Amino acid sequence: PRARAAGSMSHDFMWGVGQNTIGPVTRVFTRLRVYGVDRIPLEGGLVLAFNHFHWIDPPAFGSISPRPIRFMAKIEAHRIPGIGQLIRSFGTFSVRRGESDREAVRMMRQVVADGHALGLFAEGTRQRGGVPGEVQPGAAMVALQEGAPVVCGAIHGTETWRPGNFHPVSIAFGEPMR
C-alpha cells in the first residue's frame, strides 16, 4: 500500500486530529521534554532525520512537530490491521527494506519537492539495544537531490520506556544543515 498524494488535505486534517488526541496522550505518558523544536523550518521541503528505539518514537516526534511529517515506514507496519490504516491516514508511506525500492525513493523525493517535511529513521530500523546504529544514506540523498535542509532529531529515553514504566523521554533538534 502506498500513499497516493504525499501532501493531501486529508493527511493534514488527520495530522491535526492526531496532534489534538494522540499527541497529548503521548506527551503525558512519555513525560516528554523537548529542546530546539524552534529549529525546524516552518515552510519548504525538509528532511527530518531521527534515531529510533521504540514504537512510541513516531508519535513522540509527531506530537511536538510544528508541521505535519510524512513518515516512511517499513511495509510490514502497513500490513498490521488497524495500524496500517492509521499510519497511512497520517500520510505515512511504505518502504520495502533490504532491497532497492524505487517507488519509496520517488515518494521521498516528491514529499520534499512538494515542500513538505519528510520524516526518516536514519538507521533504517529500530535499535533495540539502546544504542544508536549506523546511519543509512537515505536522508542525505534526498536532501542533496532536492536541495533541502536536514534537521536531525535525537530521542533519548524510549530505549527503556514501556507501558507502566514511564521513564521520561527527551527530544533534541539540531540546526538545519545542507
Side-chain angles (χ1 to χ4, degrees):
R2 303 269 187 212
R4 298 283 309 158
S8 75
M9 293 289 274
S10 65
H11 296 148
D12 290 344
F13 173 78
M14 284 303 297
W15 190 266
V17 169
Q19 283 215 308
N20 289 307
T21 56
I22 298 168
V25 172
T26 301
R27 289 190 299 273
V28 166
F29 284 107
T30 59
R31 300 185 327 188
L32 194 57
R33 293 176 276 191
V34 182
Y35 309 93
V37 74
D38 58 317
R39 296 174 177 163
I40 297 175
L42 299 179
E43 296 180 347
L46 169 68
V47 177
L48 296 166
F50 305 127
N51 65 317
H52 191 18
F53 295 125
H54 196 276
W55 61 263
I56 196 77
D57 297 347
F61 283 116
S63 76
I64 52 85
S65 177
R67 59 189 288 189
I69 302 170
R70 304 293 183 244
F71 282 102
M72 182 171 72
K74 63 184 179 180
I75 197 164
E76 294 86 355
H78 287 260
R79 293 178 176 151
I80 300 170
I83 298 294
Q85 292 89 337
L86 179 66
I87 64 177
R88 283 191 301 280
S89 75
F90 289 111
T92 299
F93 60 96
S94 64
V95 62
R96 292 184 317 268
R97 298 181 307 163
E99 59 184 274
S100 178
D101 188 342
R102 292 176 190 221
E103 178 65 11
V105 171
R106 187 196 67 72
M107 282 294 296
M108 290 189 304
R109 291 190 67 186
Q110 191 65 54
V111 166
V112 175
D114 287 348
H116 301 289
L118 171 66
L120 297 176
F121 292 104
E123 302 137 317
T125 188
R126 281 184 294 164
Q127 302 302 305
R128 296 175 191 252
V131 177
E134 182 179 340
V135 173
Q136 302 300 310
M141 176 197 68
V142 172
L144 287 169
Q145 289 175 341
E146 297 304 322
V150 175
V151 174
C152 295
I155 194 161
H156 176 74
T158 59
E159 63 274 17
T160 57
W161 185 93
R162 300 286 175 271
N165 184 14
F166 303 126
H167 289 161
V169 172
S170 300
I171 296 176
F173 289 97
E175 294 288 343
M177 57 184 152
R178 291 191 180 265

